[in-house]
Amino acid sequence: MGYHVEKFLNEIRKMNISLTEDQIEKFITYYEMLVEKNKVMNLTAITDFDEVFEKHFADSLSLAYAFDLNQEMSMIDLGTGAGFPGIPLKIVFPQLRMILADSLNKRILFLNEVIEKTGLNDVDTVHGRAEDLARKKEFRESFDLCVSRAVANLSTLTEYCLPFVKENGNFVSYKGADCDEEVEAAKSSVHLLGGRIKKVKKFELGTSRRAFVIIEKKKPTPKKYPRKAGTPAKEPL
């Protein structure tokens, strides 16, 4: 089946990203696997080719607006779901050392299939809840960058994500452009967890208005955070 990827390529060109034929093939393989698996398990509400390429793939890659991703960096994608933003970022920036973490093992099994089929290297998957993984020595304060497209309150997300980040590293939350109130409300919890809201970067992606909330890790996160499973979502700091 012939796919028209020009719209996608034009969108990511604005991010100074150009793809090889091999990378384009990897994205198409990923798309086909996503749509096929979506028939038997709920991975995404969006399955139209152009929409997946804009709202999932280009949106994932838009991190390039906020960071130089051509350098070596350790990254964890927390609550990766169907692999966003981690797998698109790994396809385009192969030197990123990537961990994809999710609490649902069925998703992890799917991601392992995608990694194998697309031949991606130096990317691992981890099954577990953020509250539990963040207490493990191999993960806590181990990453240059933690990213998440998960839909959750910023205070809650920061409690999940910031414990994974090294001092002077960053946590980046993918948000809609109307996030100002949420960012303001999260300031005290971000500070409590050892972070500082460095920047809110707003941009347009196709027909959507998007934002990154960039939180810099200034000091270690107190050991009592994250709190036990379920608490950060029920009782945000």
Side-chain angles (χ1 to χ4, degrees), residues 212-232:
F212 288 119
V213 182
I214 302 166
I215 295 172
E216 186 178 21
K217 181 80 164 265
K218 299 305 288 177
K219 59 185 183 184
T221 301
K223 285 192 167 49
K224 63 178 176 178
Y225 301 113
R227 291 165 292 166
K228 67 181 184 188
T231 309

Side-chain angles (χ1 to χ4, degrees), residues 85-104:
I87 285 184
L89 288 168
K90 185 66 190 175
I91 291 171
V92 176
F93 303 102
Q95 83 294 342
L96 295 173
R97 299 188 306 282
M98 181 79 68
I99 299 268
L100 306 172
D102 200 84
S103 61
L104 195 63

Side-chain angles (χ1 to χ4, degrees), residues 38-66:
N38 206 57
K39 291 174 185 172
V40 293
M41 78 184 261
N42 182 24
L43 289 169
T44 174
I46 300 167
T47 54
D48 173 77
F49 181 83
D50 282 342
E51 280 201 82
V52 168
F53 270 71
E54 178 188 313
K55 292 181 179 172
H56 285 323
F57 295 170
D59 187 70
S60 293
L61 295 175
S62 62
L63 187 64
Y65 280 134

Side-chain angles (χ1 to χ4, degrees), residues 106-187:
K106 285 196 295 187
R107 292 192 199 116
I108 293 294
L109 295 175
F110 166 69
L111 296 175
N112 288 338
E113 289 173 23
V114 172
I115 289 163
E116 188 178 351
K117 189 91 181 273
T118 53
L120 296 175
N121 298 312
D122 210 4
V123 52
D124 291 306
T125 58
V126 179
H127 171 232
R129 294 181 69 120
E131 300 98 319
D132 301 323
L133 295 176
R135 302 205 168 276
K136 295 193 174 182
K137 198 172 153 190
E138 66 265 39
F139 298 128
R140 193 171 185 93
E141 301 189 327
S142 297
F143 297 91
D144 299 311
L145 193 57
C146 177
V147 290
S148 185
R149 277 177 94 229
V151 179
N153 173 287
L154 187 61
S155 295
T156 301
L157 269 181
T158 303
E159 185 172 353
Y160 287 145
C161 293
L162 210 57
F164 290 90
V165 179
K166 293 175 182 173
E167 274 185 75
N168 301 314
N170 294 277
F171 158 48
V172 180
S173 176
Y174 284 65
K175 289 284 182 188
D178 56 348
C179 63
D180 294 350
E181 209 171 288
E182 193 179 338
V183 171
E184 191 59 39
K187 277 184 177 171

Side-chain angles (χ1 to χ4, degrees), residues 16-76:
N16 290 321
I17 294 173
S18 57
L19 300 182
T20 63
E21 284 301 318
D22 180 61
Q23 287 169 320
I24 293 169
E25 281 303 315
K26 282 180 166 61
F27 274 111
I28 290 170
T29 298
Y30 183 19
Y31 168 74
E32 290 178 339
M33 292 181 77
L34 179 70
V35 170
E36 191 57 36
K37 184 61 78 173
N38 206 57
K39 291 174 185 172
V40 293
M41 78 184 261
N42 182 24
L43 289 169
T44 174
I46 300 167
T47 54
D48 173 77
F49 181 83
D50 282 342
E51 280 201 82
V52 168
F53 270 71
E54 178 188 313
K55 292 181 179 172
H56 285 323
F57 295 170
D59 187 70
S60 293
L61 295 175
S62 62
L63 187 64
Y65 280 134
F67 281 91
D68 173 12
L69 296 167
N70 290 297
Q71 56 188 314
E72 282 206 17
M73 206 185 297
S74 58
M75 184 183 294
I76 184 166

